Amino acid sequence: MENSYGYPGGPEPGPGRKFSFDGKRIKRIAIIAAIAIFVAGLAFSCWYTVDDKQECVVTTFGRVTDVTEAGIHFKLPFGIQQIHKVNVNVYQKIELGYRTQGSKATDFTTVEDESKMITGDYNIVNVEFFVEYKVSDPEKYLFNSYSPELVLKNLVQSQVRNVVGSTPVDAVLTDGKEAVQMQVKELITAVLEEYDIGLMLTDVKIQDSEPPTEEVVAAFKAVETAKQGAETVVNEAQAYQNAELPKANAEADKLIQNAEYLKQKRINEATEQVAMFNAMYTEYQKNKGITRARMYYEAISQALPGVKLYINTSDNGVEMLMPLESFTGEETGSSRTTSVPQTPAESEEDAQ
């Protein structure tokens, strides 16, 4: 016997009871479940999070309406507003001339098409550059250029070749690396400001620079050794100069001081002689005959040093002889004696 549930083997219904599916109830449950799923999806699609390394560009119907920073934010659902997260506080890199393959510094491969360049003096060198940059404006980064990283890489390659192509090979390989880095950074920064693609250059470094062949490498090493030897000799010469120069300066000061002393001595002697001459001339003006006689006797004393002189005041008799030292107050050092006749001036005065 078939039961009233509509399938064989089922439980028998009670008296007066029949089982039937409630379509309205199932439909209502399905609608409620759909509404719940819709509300949950709507709730989850109305908010978004931005971490501390990002900024988010919000577009409404494809137009930029807001730029949000780290935190939880709300947006309109159903695609009315869309979010575009950009890493702005993350430093990114461009490797020119090489590619790193692991965490170690030695794990890299050389890209000769990028590293091989011609210098300003028509030499070939391999130069590897490391460029560091970050996003400065997320809106311009997303919408001012189709591929800003590719634009920056091409710009770096062109400016690096431009600078290296105008620099001598010695500067690129030795002491001119810092100048090359600064010049490349200035040129790239200026062009980036003109392009306005939302990227900012933070650092440019030469990772390595070397000649393309081993023979040229050996030649440049020999040049470097010679330069170091020259610097050593220059430093030794500078040390010798620093040691000897104070001595030379002291000797020069001594000679200058001695010369100044002799100069002043000669000036004083000349001043003294001028003063003596002026005094003698004054006395000569007062008494010409006596002054002439005195000058005559002094000249005789200087011409005959050590001779005892006497003044003969008369032509007749020795008793008229007078010693010269009695007037000068000096004793002569010799026993020789001589008599000095009167000068013509004295003779004239006696005649008068």
Side-chain angles (χ1 to χ4, degrees):
M1 174 179 167
E2 185 178 350
N3 59 34
S4 59
Y5 283 97
Y7 59 91
E12 295 183 358
R17 295 178 56 189
K18 292 186 178 180
F19 182 82
S20 64
F21 289 100
D22 192 349
K24 292 183 179 179
R25 183 178 179 186
I26 295 175
K27 185 177 180 181
R28 184 170 58 253
I29 294 172
I31 293 174
I32 293 173
I35 293 174
I37 294 173
F38 174 78
V39 171
L42 180 65
F44 280 104
S45 64
C46 285
W47 63 275
Y48 63 95
T49 59
V50 182
D51 62 31
D52 56 352
K53 294 182 179 180
Q54 297 175 333
E55 286 186 5
C56 185
V57 179
V58 181
T59 59
T60 304
F61 296 114
R63 184 177 181 179
V64 177
T65 55
D66 193 12
V67 178
T68 58
E69 297 181 350
I72 301 175
H73 306 275
F74 292 92
K75 68 180 182 69
L76 298 178
F78 308 116
I80 298 175
Q81 285 187 328
Q82 294 182 352
I83 60 173
H84 309 272
K85 298 180 182 180
V86 180
N87 293 325
V88 294
N89 295 325
V90 176
Y91 291 94
Q92 305 181 56
K93 65 180 180 178
I94 293 178
E95 298 170 340
L96 183 63
Y98 73 102
R99 299 291 185 273
T100 56
Q101 297 177 336
S103 59
K104 297 182 180 180
T106 56
D107 296 338
F108 68 93
T109 57
T110 302
V111 182
E112 292 188 358
D113 293 340
E114 295 178 355
S115 64
K116 188 172 293 186
M117 305 178 191
I118 299 178
T119 62
D121 49 2
Y122 303 104
N123 288 287
I124 299 176
V125 293
N126 291 332
V127 187
E128 299 172 358
F129 276 86
F130 172 81
V131 178
E132 191 176 63
Y133 69 95
K134 62 181 292 188
V135 177
S136 59
D137 191 322
E139 180 181 351
K140 295 177 180 179
Y141 171 78
L142 291 173
F143 302 108
N144 282 17
S145 175
Y146 179 74
S147 180
E149 285 86 359
L150 181 60
V151 173
L152 178 59
K153 183 176 181 179
N154 293 334
L155 177 60
V156 169
Q157 287 181 335
S158 64
Q159 296 302 330
V160 164
R161 293 184 183 277
N162 181 23
V163 174
V164 174
S166 60
T167 305
V169 64
D170 290 340
V172 176
L173 295 177
T174 56
D175 56 352
K177 294 181 180 180
E178 184 175 355
V180 171
Q181 294 174 176
M182 292 179 61
Q183 191 174 358
V184 170
K185 184 177 181 180
E186 290 174 359
L187 291 174
I188 296 175
T189 301
V191 178
L192 276 179
E193 291 178 357
E194 182 180 353
Y195 286 175
D196 197 21
I197 58 176
L199 294 180
M200 179 178 64
L201 192 68
T202 59
D203 194 15
V204 175
K205 291 182 180 179
I206 295 179
Q207 291 291 91
D208 191 16
S209 60
E210 61 183 6
T213 61
E214 294 296 331
E215 291 79 4
V216 181
V217 171
F220 272 99
K221 288 182 178 179
V223 172
E224 283 297 311
T225 303
K227 286 183 178 180
Q228 293 177 0
E231 291 178 357
T232 301
V233 173
V234 170
N235 293 334
E236 291 176 353
Q238 189 68 34
Y240 178 78
Q241 176 185 350
N242 294 336
E244 295 297 326
L245 190 59
K247 297 180 182 178
N249 290 334
E251 186 67 22
D253 292 340
K254 182 178 179 181
L255 293 175
I256 292 174
Q257 291 177 2
N258 189 32
E260 290 290 337
Y261 168 75
L262 294 176
K263 171 186 173 182
Q264 191 62 39
K265 181 180 179 182
R266 296 290 178 86
I267 293 174
N268 294 337
E269 291 176 354
T271 303
E272 183 181 358
Q273 292 177 1
V274 170
M276 291 177 62
F277 179 81
N278 291 333
M280 186 179 295
Y281 181 74
T282 302
E283 295 298 326
Y284 176 78
Q285 292 286 55
K286 293 178 181 178
N287 197 335
K288 297 180 180 180
I290 294 175
T291 304
R292 280 198 301 268
R294 179 180 176 183
M295 293 175 64
Y296 175 75
Y297 296 144
E298 289 177 353
I300 292 297
S301 299
Q302 292 178 0
L304 300 173
V307 176
K308 195 171 186 179
L309 301 177
Y310 293 88
I311 301 174
N312 188 359
T313 60
S314 175
D315 293 337
N316 301 320
V318 181
E319 68 277 1
M320 302 301 293
L321 293 176
M322 294 182 294
L324 183 62
E325 61 268 18
S326 63
F327 296 99
T328 62
E330 297 178 355
E331 295 292 337
T332 58
S334 176
S335 61
R336 296 172 57 192
T337 61
T338 183
S339 62
V340 180
Q342 286 182 315
T343 64
E346 290 176 335
S347 301
E348 291 178 1
E349 291 177 357
D350 291 343
Q352 293 177 359

